Amino acid sequence: KLGWTLHFLTDESPIWQRSMMVVIVIAIITSVLLTIALFLRSERIRIALQASQADSRQLRATNAKLAREIEERRMAEQRLERARSELARASKLAALGQLSAPVTHELGQPIAAMRNYLAAAEFDDDPNGRRDRLNRLNGLVTRIESIFNQLKFFAKPGFSGSTDERLDEIDLRDVWTGAQELLDVDIQNAGIELTLTQPNRPVLVRGNHLRLEQVLINLVRNAIAAMDSTNHRAIHIGIDIKGGRALLSVADSGQGLGDYSLEQLQEPFLTTRASGEGMGLGLAISTEIIKEHDGRLTAQSQPEGGALFAMDLPLAEQKEAA
Ligand code: ADP
């Protein structure tokens, strides 16, 4: 009311002191927090480093183990390779042994007979006897030739799969016509009644005509041989299409397969026929040819007697589609 201004002056130093105290405390707390954070971080880094060192130790150990295993495997492979080549050599020798026995047996007989005829020819001046001997020698040469022809099949590069022969579209009915021309004389001489059923449209398969004809001739020749000692001699040839496959069968009224299974009869050199009459290669060869054509061969004894050999092959159109 009197218009006075009152100034109250006081000392500032306690305020400065308090402010300084606050700043110092904040600085201490901040640096303690920073130290804790840094410590925690370095702890984390240490633990991570330890873990990664442990990992790399483990990796190094695994690497060493892997290297050992690779080395062991390399040695095992070398041992396997050695064993394989020894086995290949041994099985080649075994195959050679298996092959030489029947071949030397089959070839030995006609060769010995030829030697006898030739020895006898030296002392024989009779022209009739000479002619007779020449005929016999001719027969023996033909036999040797037929043995060679059978063996030649196995020496072909196409044998066992990789055939590079031409595959044509062929009618199974023509295959039979071709085979029949070669078999007719034998069939008539043996007094065999021959019947045929076939569709009146082509039965087309993709294959090699001569090879399939060879199979059919083998099967029919076997049928003729199987009826040697039977009174009723009949062969039935069946050609058909069923389930998308071409069928070709040869049924006879012979002795049947007896106790033999087809697998046994397919074994090379297995024959029940007398020496000189069969080498046991016909079915082995036929099976290979049918396999080359993606076909199947089956055989069974028939209830009414005789054997039935049947093969089925993919039809040409199906093979092309495949
Ligand atoms: P091979 O005719 O030279 O003996 P194959 O391999 O053609 O050789 O035949 C093997 C064997 O299979 C014959 O010896 C015979 O015992 C048997 N076999 C083949 N076809 C017939 C058949 N149609 N009937 C009875 N047995 C057969």
Side-chain angles (χ1 to χ4, degrees), residues 150 218-219 222-223 226 252 255-257 260 265 267 270-273 277-284 307 309:
Q150 292 197 54
N218 268 339
L219 294 183
N222 277 348
D252 63 58
Q255 68 206 11
L257 302 182
Y260 287 102
L265 298 176
E267 276 291 308
L270 187 139
T271 180
T272 56
R273 293 162 64 188
E277 285 176 20
M279 258 200 29
L281 286 178
L283 281 180
F309 281 80

Side-chain angles (χ1 to χ4, degrees), residues 137-158:
L137 280 172
N138 207 13
L140 290 170
V141 170
T142 312
R143 195 163 125 196
I144 292 177
E145 209 172 39
S146 89
I147 294 171
F148 270 117
N149 281 340
Q150 292 197 54
L151 288 173
K152 244 171 25 195
F153 171 85
F154 293 97
K156 277 198 189 131

Side-chain angles (χ1 to χ4, degrees), residues 5 10 19 27 107 231 248-249 257 267 284 310:
T5 304
T10 181
S19 303
L107 290 179
N231 293 328
L248 180 54
S249 61
L257 302 182
E267 276 291 308

Side-chain angles (χ1 to χ4, degrees), residues 55 75 81 123 211 241 291:
D55 275 356
M75 276 160 62
E81 195 44 48
F123 306 103
R211 293 264 209 171
I241 296 178
K291 249 198 254 165

